[in-house]
CSV table of all heavy atoms in Angstrom, one decimal:
chain,number,residue,atom,x,y,z
X,1341,SER,N,-42.7,-41.8,-62.6
X,1341,SER,CA,-44.2,-41.8,-62.5
X,1341,SER,C,-44.8,-40.4,-62.3
X,1341,SER,O,-44.2,-39.6,-61.6
X,1341,SER,CB,-44.6,-42.7,-61.3
X,1341,SER,OG,-46.0,-42.7,-61.0
X,1342,ALA,N,-45.9,-40.2,-62.9
X,1342,ALA,CA,-46.6,-38.9,-62.8
X,1342,ALA,C,-47.7,-39.0,-61.7
X,1342,ALA,O,-48.4,-38.0,-61.5
X,1342,ALA,CB,-47.2,-38.5,-64.1
X,1343,SER,N,-48.0,-40.1,-61.1
X,1343,SER,CA,-49.0,-40.3,-60.1
X,1343,SER,C,-48.8,-39.6,-58.8
X,1343,SER,O,-47.6,-39.5,-58.4
X,1343,SER,CB,-49.3,-41.8,-59.9
X,1343,SER,OG,-50.2,-41.9,-58.8
X,1344,CYS,N,-49.8,-39.0,-58.2
X,1344,CYS,CA,-49.7,-38.4,-56.9
X,1344,CYS,C,-50.1,-39.3,-55.8
X,1344,CYS,O,-50.0,-39.0,-54.6
X,1344,CYS,CB,-50.6,-37.1,-56.8
X,1344,CYS,SG,-50.0,-35.8,-57.8
X,1345,THR,N,-50.6,-40.5,-56.1
X,1345,THR,CA,-51.0,-41.5,-55.1
X,1345,THR,C,-50.2,-42.8,-55.3
X,1345,THR,O,-49.9,-43.2,-56.4
X,1345,THR,CB,-52.5,-41.8,-55.2
X,1345,THR,OG1,-52.8,-42.3,-56.5
X,1345,THR,CG2,-53.3,-40.6,-54.9
X,1346,GLY,N,-49.9,-43.5,-54.2
X,1346,GLY,CA,-49.3,-44.8,-54.2
X,1346,GLY,C,-47.8,-44.8,-54.6
X,1346,GLY,O,-47.2,-45.9,-54.7
X,1347,ARG,N,-47.2,-43.6,-54.7
X,1347,ARG,CA,-45.7,-43.6,-55.0
X,1347,ARG,C,-44.9,-43.8,-53.8
X,1347,ARG,O,-45.0,-43.1,-52.8
X,1347,ARG,CB,-45.4,-42.3,-55.7
X,1347,ARG,CG,-46.0,-42.1,-57.0
X,1347,ARG,CD,-45.5,-40.8,-57.7
X,1347,ARG,NE,-44.1,-40.9,-58.0
X,1347,ARG,CZ,-43.3,-39.9,-58.5
X,1347,ARG,NH1,-43.9,-38.7,-58.6
X,1347,ARG,NH2,-42.1,-40.1,-58.8
X,1348,SER,N,-44.0,-44.8,-53.9
X,1348,SER,CA,-43.1,-45.1,-52.7
X,1348,SER,C,-41.9,-44.1,-52.8
X,1348,SER,O,-41.4,-43.7,-53.8
X,1348,SER,CB,-42.6,-46.5,-52.8
X,1348,SER,OG,-43.7,-47.4,-52.7
X,1349,PHE,N,-41.4,-43.8,-51.6
X,1349,PHE,CA,-40.2,-42.9,-51.5
X,1349,PHE,C,-39.4,-43.2,-50.3
X,1349,PHE,O,-39.8,-43.9,-49.4
X,1349,PHE,CB,-40.7,-41.4,-51.5
X,1349,PHE,CG,-41.6,-41.1,-50.3
X,1349,PHE,CD1,-41.0,-40.6,-49.1
X,1349,PHE,CD2,-43.0,-41.2,-50.4
X,1349,PHE,CE1,-41.9,-40.3,-48.0
X,1349,PHE,CE2,-43.8,-40.9,-49.3
X,1349,PHE,CZ,-43.2,-40.4,-48.2
X,1350,TYR,N,-38.1,-42.7,-50.4
X,1350,TYR,CA,-37.2,-42.7,-49.2
X,1350,TYR,C,-37.1,-41.3,-48.7
X,1350,TYR,O,-37.0,-40.4,-49.4
X,1350,TYR,CB,-35.8,-43.2,-49.7
X,1350,TYR,CG,-35.7,-44.7,-50.0
X,1350,TYR,CD1,-35.8,-45.1,-51.3
X,1350,TYR,CD2,-35.6,-45.7,-49.0
X,1350,TYR,CE1,-35.7,-46.5,-51.7
X,1350,TYR,CE2,-35.6,-47.0,-49.3
X,1350,TYR,CZ,-35.6,-47.4,-50.6
X,1350,TYR,OH,-35.5,-48.8,-51.0
X,1351,LEU,N,-37.1,-41.3,-47.3
X,1351,LEU,CA,-36.9,-40.0,-46.7
X,1351,LEU,C,-35.4,-39.7,-46.6
X,1351,LEU,O,-34.7,-40.5,-46.0
X,1351,LEU,CB,-37.6,-40.1,-45.3
X,1351,LEU,CG,-37.6,-38.8,-44.4
X,1351,LEU,CD1,-38.4,-37.7,-45.1
X,1351,LEU,CD2,-38.1,-39.1,-43.0
X,1352,LEU,N,-35.0,-38.5,-47.0
X,1352,LEU,CA,-33.6,-38.1,-47.0
X,1352,LEU,C,-33.2,-37.3,-45.8
X,1352,LEU,O,-32.2,-37.4,-45.2
X,1352,LEU,CB,-33.2,-37.4,-48.3
X,1352,LEU,CG,-33.4,-38.2,-49.6
X,1352,LEU,CD1,-33.0,-37.3,-50.8
X,1352,LEU,CD2,-32.6,-39.5,-49.6
X,1353,GLY,N,-34.1,-36.3,-45.5
X,1353,GLY,CA,-33.8,-35.5,-44.3
X,1353,GLY,C,-34.5,-34.1,-44.5
X,1353,GLY,O,-35.2,-33.9,-45.5
X,1354,ARG,N,-34.2,-33.2,-43.6
X,1354,ARG,CA,-34.8,-31.9,-43.6
X,1354,ARG,C,-34.2,-31.0,-44.7
X,1354,ARG,O,-33.0,-31.0,-45.0
X,1354,ARG,CB,-34.5,-31.2,-42.2
X,1354,ARG,CG,-35.1,-31.9,-41.0
X,1354,ARG,CD,-36.6,-31.9,-41.1
X,1354,ARG,NE,-37.2,-30.5,-41.0
X,1354,ARG,CZ,-38.5,-30.3,-41.2
X,1354,ARG,NH1,-39.3,-31.2,-41.5
X,1354,ARG,NH2,-38.9,-29.0,-41.2
X,1355,LEU,N,-35.1,-30.3,-45.4
X,1355,LEU,CA,-34.7,-29.3,-46.4
X,1355,LEU,C,-33.7,-28.3,-45.9
X,1355,LEU,O,-32.8,-27.9,-46.6
X,1355,LEU,CB,-36.0,-28.7,-47.0
X,1355,LEU,CG,-35.7,-27.6,-48.1
X,1355,LEU,CD1,-35.1,-28.2,-49.3
X,1355,LEU,CD2,-37.1,-26.9,-48.4
X,1356,ASP,N,-34.0,-27.8,-44.7
X,1356,ASP,CA,-33.1,-26.7,-44.1
X,1356,ASP,C,-31.8,-27.2,-43.7
X,1356,ASP,O,-31.0,-26.4,-43.2
X,1356,ASP,CB,-33.8,-26.0,-43.0
X,1356,ASP,CG,-34.3,-26.8,-41.9
X,1356,ASP,OD1,-33.9,-28.0,-41.8
X,1356,ASP,OD2,-35.1,-26.4,-41.0
X,1357,ARG,N,-31.5,-28.5,-43.8
X,1357,ARG,CA,-30.2,-29.0,-43.5
X,1357,ARG,C,-29.3,-29.4,-44.7
X,1357,ARG,O,-28.2,-29.9,-44.6
X,1357,ARG,CB,-30.3,-30.3,-42.6
X,1357,ARG,CG,-30.7,-30.0,-41.2
X,1357,ARG,CD,-30.3,-31.1,-40.3
X,1357,ARG,NE,-28.8,-31.2,-40.2
X,1357,ARG,CZ,-28.2,-32.3,-39.8
X,1357,ARG,NH1,-28.8,-33.4,-39.5
X,1357,ARG,NH2,-26.8,-32.3,-39.8
X,1358,VAL,N,-29.8,-29.2,-45.9
X,1358,VAL,CA,-29.1,-29.5,-47.1
X,1358,VAL,C,-27.8,-28.6,-47.2
X,1358,VAL,O,-27.9,-27.4,-47.0
X,1358,VAL,CB,-30.0,-29.2,-48.4
X,1358,VAL,CG1,-29.1,-29.3,-49.6
X,1358,VAL,CG2,-31.1,-30.2,-48.4
X,1359,ILE,N,-26.7,-29.3,-47.5
X,1359,ILE,CA,-25.4,-28.6,-47.6
X,1359,ILE,C,-25.1,-28.5,-49.1
X,1359,ILE,O,-25.2,-29.4,-49.9
X,1359,ILE,CB,-24.3,-29.4,-46.9
X,1359,ILE,CG1,-24.6,-29.5,-45.4
X,1359,ILE,CG2,-22.9,-28.7,-47.1
X,1359,ILE,CD1,-23.7,-30.5,-44.7
X,1360,ASN,N,-24.7,-27.3,-49.5
X,1360,ASN,CA,-24.4,-27.0,-50.9
X,1360,ASN,C,-22.9,-26.8,-51.1
X,1360,ASN,O,-22.4,-25.7,-50.7
X,1360,ASN,CB,-25.1,-25.7,-51.4
X,1360,ASN,CG,-25.0,-25.5,-52.9
X,1360,ASN,OD1,-24.1,-26.1,-53.6
X,1360,ASN,ND2,-25.9,-24.7,-53.5
X,1361,GLN,N,-22.2,-27.8,-51.6
X,1361,GLN,CA,-20.8,-27.8,-51.7
X,1361,GLN,C,-20.4,-27.8,-53.2
X,1361,GLN,O,-20.7,-28.8,-53.9
X,1361,GLN,CB,-20.1,-28.9,-51.0
X,1361,GLN,CG,-18.5,-28.9,-51.2
X,1361,GLN,CD,-17.9,-30.0,-50.3
X,1361,GLN,OE1,-17.7,-29.8,-49.1
X,1361,GLN,NE2,-17.5,-31.1,-50.9
X,1362,SER,N,-19.9,-26.7,-53.7
X,1362,SER,CA,-19.6,-26.6,-55.1
X,1362,SER,C,-20.8,-26.9,-56.0
X,1362,SER,O,-20.6,-27.6,-57.1
X,1362,SER,CB,-18.4,-27.5,-55.5
X,1362,SER,OG,-17.3,-27.2,-54.7
X,1363,GLY,N,-21.9,-26.5,-55.6
X,1363,GLY,CA,-23.1,-26.8,-56.4
X,1363,GLY,C,-23.7,-28.2,-56.3
X,1363,GLY,O,-24.8,-28.5,-56.8
X,1364,ILE,N,-23.1,-29.0,-55.5
X,1364,ILE,CA,-23.6,-30.4,-55.2
X,1364,ILE,C,-24.4,-30.3,-53.9
X,1364,ILE,O,-23.9,-29.9,-52.9
X,1364,ILE,CB,-22.5,-31.4,-55.1
X,1364,ILE,CG1,-21.7,-31.4,-56.4
X,1364,ILE,CG2,-23.0,-32.8,-54.7
X,1364,ILE,CD1,-20.5,-32.3,-56.4
X,1365,LYS,N,-25.7,-30.7,-54.0
X,1365,LYS,CA,-26.5,-30.7,-52.8
X,1365,LYS,C,-26.3,-32.0,-52.0
X,1365,LYS,O,-26.5,-33.1,-52.5
X,1365,LYS,CB,-28.0,-30.7,-53.2
X,1365,LYS,CG,-28.4,-29.4,-54.0
X,1365,LYS,CD,-28.2,-28.1,-53.3
X,1365,LYS,CE,-28.8,-26.9,-53.9
X,1365,LYS,NZ,-28.6,-26.8,-55.4
X,1366,ILE,N,-26.0,-31.9,-50.7
X,1366,ILE,CA,-25.6,-33.0,-49.9
X,1366,ILE,C,-26.6,-33.1,-48.7
X,1366,ILE,O,-26.8,-32.1,-48.0
X,1366,ILE,CB,-24.2,-32.9,-49.3
X,1366,ILE,CG1,-23.2,-32.9,-50.5
X,1366,ILE,CG2,-23.9,-34.1,-48.4
X,1366,ILE,CD1,-21.8,-32.6,-50.1
X,1367,GLN,N,-27.3,-34.2,-48.6
X,1367,GLN,CA,-28.2,-34.4,-47.5
X,1367,GLN,C,-27.5,-35.1,-46.3
X,1367,GLN,O,-27.0,-36.2,-46.5
X,1367,GLN,CB,-29.4,-35.2,-47.9
X,1367,GLN,CG,-30.6,-35.1,-47.0
X,1367,GLN,CD,-31.4,-33.8,-47.1
X,1367,GLN,OE1,-31.7,-33.5,-48.3
X,1367,GLN,NE2,-31.7,-33.2,-46.0
X,1368,PRO,N,-27.3,-34.4,-45.2
X,1368,PRO,CA,-26.4,-34.9,-44.2
X,1368,PRO,C,-26.9,-36.1,-43.4
X,1368,PRO,O,-26.1,-37.0,-42.9
X,1368,PRO,CB,-26.2,-33.8,-43.2
X,1368,PRO,CG,-27.3,-32.9,-43.4
X,1368,PRO,CD,-27.7,-33.0,-44.8
X,1369,GLU,N,-28.2,-36.3,-43.3
X,1369,GLU,CA,-28.8,-37.3,-42.4
X,1369,GLU,C,-28.4,-38.7,-42.8
X,1369,GLU,O,-28.0,-39.5,-41.9
X,1369,GLU,CB,-30.3,-37.2,-42.3
X,1369,GLU,CG,-30.8,-36.0,-41.5
X,1369,GLU,CD,-31.1,-34.8,-42.4
X,1369,GLU,OE1,-30.5,-34.7,-43.5
X,1369,GLU,OE2,-31.8,-33.9,-41.9
Side-chain angles (χ1 to χ4, degrees):
S1341 173
S1343 173
C1344 289
T1345 58
R1347 293 185 68 187
S1348 299
F1349 60 89
Y1350 288 100
L1351 185 64
L1352 299 179
R1354 297 294 297 170
L1355 176 63
D1356 56 13
R1357 288 204 64 202
V1358 171
I1359 299 168
N1360 189 342
Q1361 181 172 278
S1362 301
I1364 299 173
K1365 303 296 196 309
I1366 301 170
Q1367 197 75 50
E1369 288 94 337

